Amino acid sequence: MIDQNLDYLANLLCQNRRQGITSDIPFDLLRSEDDAWAVQSAAISAFANDAVGYALIGTCPAIRGTLGLASPIYCPIPVGTVLQDSHGPFRLPQGFIGAQCEIVFTIGGPLGADHWPITRDQFWKAILSYQPAIGLVGRRGHLTGQPHLAAIADYAFHVSTIVDKYHEPTGLEAMDRIDMRASINNVPVFQSASGEGLVDPINSALWLVNDLIARGNYLSAGDIVATGSIIPMLLQILPGQELKVELSGVGDASARFL
């Protein structure tokens, strides 16, 4: 159980997430990371009955610098916030920060339940499938207090994850040579050949798994991991625009926004 002030903060975050709005929230009540994680947990419980996995943000140093994060952070993905890209257009909420071009992995069995650190090969063998995705990142509260603590509490800035169809994994080396293109209204905004300049999605997911293990948690069969941006920036999207992400060997994801 958390104290009354932190519970109040968590309920404000939940109300704003439900309404898609941003308001003044007293993040300066957060005194430590333990406080921030406790508020996030309470806010998640208030918002949804269950979670389907985890979403990462800040796996890239440039994005951490932009958002004032001391390290990568993550949040359980509430049921109902994973959306098919064919179901758009999607409304951008107040407090929208940007869009992540990412990969979502689905785990085929328990991972980390024995509390031993997981290697890259072990993680890859546990993957059941993967999907190209667009992650929407946003705030529910105006920034006060320490940015890193506020970000953890504020659902790690997760808004929703927009996915395309599943793909069965091939060789691990395929993740090392992805050709990638992101475009807004068919105008290229980022391109990469053979993985150059991309954030390694396997390493990002592996960091998450091992951090969960260190905290006494683990991934269950069927959980998903949204790896955070694989490009070194958050893309700025406006209402009326369409974002398309094309990943060789993984597929395409696109979304139109209101």
Side-chain angles (χ1 to χ4, degrees):
M1 180 177 292
I2 61 176
D3 70 38
Q4 188 173 7
N5 285 335
L6 298 184
D7 191 54
Y8 170 69
L9 199 163
N11 282 316
L12 287 177
L13 287 167
C14 176
Q15 291 171 24
N16 284 6
R17 187 167 191 178
R18 287 188 185 282
Q19 297 175 47
I21 63 172
T22 304
S23 68
D24 293 331
I25 289 182
F27 290 118
D28 50 2
L29 293 173
L30 300 169
R31 297 154 296 186
S32 65
E33 278 205 12
D34 286 343
D35 280 356
W37 288 112
V39 168
Q40 185 199 99
S41 179
I44 284 287
S45 295
F47 181 73
N49 293 328
D50 203 356
V52 295
Y54 292 87
L56 274 156
I57 189 168
T59 52
C60 168
I63 293 175
R64 290 200 296 274
T66 298
L67 298 176
L69 303 180
S71 65
I73 58 175
Y74 55 87
C75 180
I77 300 174
V79 167
T81 63
V82 179
L83 312 170
Q84 290 292 325
D85 62 359
S86 58
H87 292 171
F90 303 96
R91 187 170 299 278
L92 295 173
Q94 290 182 20
F96 176 68
I97 297 172
Q100 300 194 130
C101 303
E102 54 189 349
I103 294 174
V104 170
F105 295 114
T106 300
I107 307 303
L111 192 59
D114 58 5
H115 304 299
W116 288 97
I118 300 300
T119 67
R120 184 180 174 90
D121 284 343
Q122 286 172 322
F123 179 80
W124 183 253
K125 290 176 182 177
I127 294 172
L128 181 65
S129 62
Y130 49 69
Q131 301 160 272
I134 295 168
L136 300 188
V137 177
R139 302 179 189 272
R140 266 59 56 162
H142 302 141
L143 181 59
T144 59
Q146 300 181 50
H148 183 73
L149 300 185
I152 292 171
D154 193 356
Y155 299 96
F157 293 151
H158 179 261
V159 174
S160 58
T161 304
I162 302 167
V163 297
D164 190 60
K165 60 182 179 294
Y166 294 99
H167 296 264
E168 292 185 3
T170 53
L172 176 55
E173 66 278 0
M175 289 289 113
D176 298 326
R177 56 170 189 265
I178 293 174
D179 293 334
M180 187 267 182
R181 180 179 185 269
S183 58
I184 298 175
N185 288 352
N186 292 318
V187 177
V189 292
F190 186 90
Q191 289 182 276
S192 170
S194 298
E196 183 177 355
L198 298 184
V199 180
D200 187 325
I202 298 289
N203 283 349
S204 298
L206 187 60
W207 178 89
L208 166 71
V209 175
N210 285 323
D211 198 74
L212 287 173
I213 292 170
R215 296 175 185 274
N217 298 316
Y218 61 93
L219 295 177
S220 299
D223 278 350
I224 66 173
V225 175
T227 60
S229 182
I230 64 171
I231 68 175
M233 67 183 77
L234 297 174
L235 297 178
Q236 303 305 302
I237 309 297
L238 298 174
Q241 293 184 328
E242 180 178 13
L243 170 62
K244 184 173 184 180
V245 179
E246 302 167 85
L247 299 166
S248 64
V250 180
D252 306 341
S254 62
R256 292 180 293 116
F257 297 98
L258 298 173

